[in-house]
Amino acid sequence: MNLTKSSNPALSSKVFSRVGYASGSNVMTLQGTLNKAILMLAIVILGASYTWGIFFESVNPASVVPWMMVGGIGGFITSLVVIFAPKTSPYTAPVYALLEGVFLGGISAFFASTYGAGIIMQAVGLTFAIFFLMLLAYRSGTIRATGKFKVMLFAATGAIALTYFVSFILGFFGVNLGFIHGSGTFGIIFSLIVVGVAALNIIIDLDFIYRSSAAGAPKYMEWYGAFGLMVTLIWLYIEILRLLAKLSSRD
């Protein structure tokens, strides 16, 4: 398959080059992938509702932290299994969705307890709205995933990942990059940029899925494509949540 680079590590050309070809009803389709992404989203919501309930029903909200750790670490490990063993994606992708849901439910609950439950509804609504706008933009050809576009977005995504990594490491030495995580003007601008980059990654993900379908990727890759798209949507949701929290802190 002659597929181009994706800034989403789950949808790299190296992965798709290993799966071979299929024909007839065994071929991956864009619609089939979107259907499975919807199913995975439902699983995420199921997992999130569990830790959300624990947080608000518990006398000690900190009791949800172990569940978040299980969800976060388990989700990361499962994602590696999906990436390196795509044939397992019909089974491991739903597991990833459940674990990430458990993690997101805890994060959302902590944000809601600080800024009010309304921030969660706003973040969910904006995430869905951005996804459908990107889907419409891609299908209508308003935004085209050209080679230059992909290279620039790949660089931007890498720069953001590096910034977060450096911030994480510096945190062990007591250095806090407040200008990134704070609610000041620069912090908000930074979050807006990150949300924009995450949103544009949806275009690349959709394009990669479309090209893989056209190239004849096997049917089980619909689960893999849905997994890759879910990775981007979860990232987008978290960044929107962070942005809304910064804006609320300025009120």
Side-chain angles (χ1 to χ4, degrees), residues 143-212:
I143 301 180
R144 299 183 181 277
T146 63
K148 184 177 180 180
F149 174 85
K150 292 177 181 179
V151 170
M152 292 178 61
L153 196 57
F154 181 82
T157 304
I160 291 170
L162 180 61
T163 300
Y164 278 145
F165 178 74
V166 170
S167 176
F168 177 75
I169 296 300
L170 290 178
F172 286 106
F173 299 95
V175 180
N176 180 25
L177 300 182
F179 62 94
I180 291 178
H181 304 293
S183 58
T185 301
F186 187 88
I188 290 176
I189 292 175
F190 177 79
S191 286
L192 284 171
I193 292 174
V194 176
V195 168
V197 171
L200 290 175
N201 265 277
I202 295 174
I203 295 293
I204 292 185
D205 294 345
L206 291 172
D207 183 72
F208 211 93
I209 292 169
Y210 173 80
R211 292 179 180 274
S212 300

Side-chain angles (χ1 to χ4, degrees), residues 91-108:
Y91 314 101
T92 51
V95 172
Y96 165 82
L98 182 63
L99 290 170
E100 283 299 305
V102 169
F103 176 69
L104 289 180
I107 287 182
S108 299

Side-chain angles (χ1 to χ4, degrees), residues 118-155:
I119 194 176
I120 306 303
M121 298 305 297
Q122 293 173 19
V124 171
L126 286 171
T127 301
F128 278 120
I130 290 174
F131 170 73
F132 285 115
L133 284 174
M134 293 298 103
L135 179 59
L136 179 61
Y138 174 74
R139 287 192 162 180
S140 65
T142 303
I143 301 180
R144 299 183 181 277
T146 63
K148 184 177 180 180
F149 174 85
K150 292 177 181 179
V151 170
M152 292 178 61
L153 196 57
F154 181 82

Side-chain angles (χ1 to χ4, degrees), residues 50-51 54 61-78 96 98-107 110:
Y50 179 73
T51 43
I54 291 178
S63 62
V64 78
V65 173
W67 287 102
M68 291 176 61
M69 293 180 63
V70 170
I73 297 174
F76 175 73
I77 294 174
T78 305
Y96 165 82
L98 182 63
L99 290 170
E100 283 299 305
V102 169
F103 176 69
L104 289 180
I107 287 182
F110 276 108

Side-chain angles (χ1 to χ4, degrees), residues 226-240:
F227 157 76
L229 191 58
M230 197 57 52
V231 169
T232 299
L233 289 176
I234 289 173
W235 176 35
L236 177 62
Y237 169 75
I238 292 176
E239 294 300 341
I240 290 176

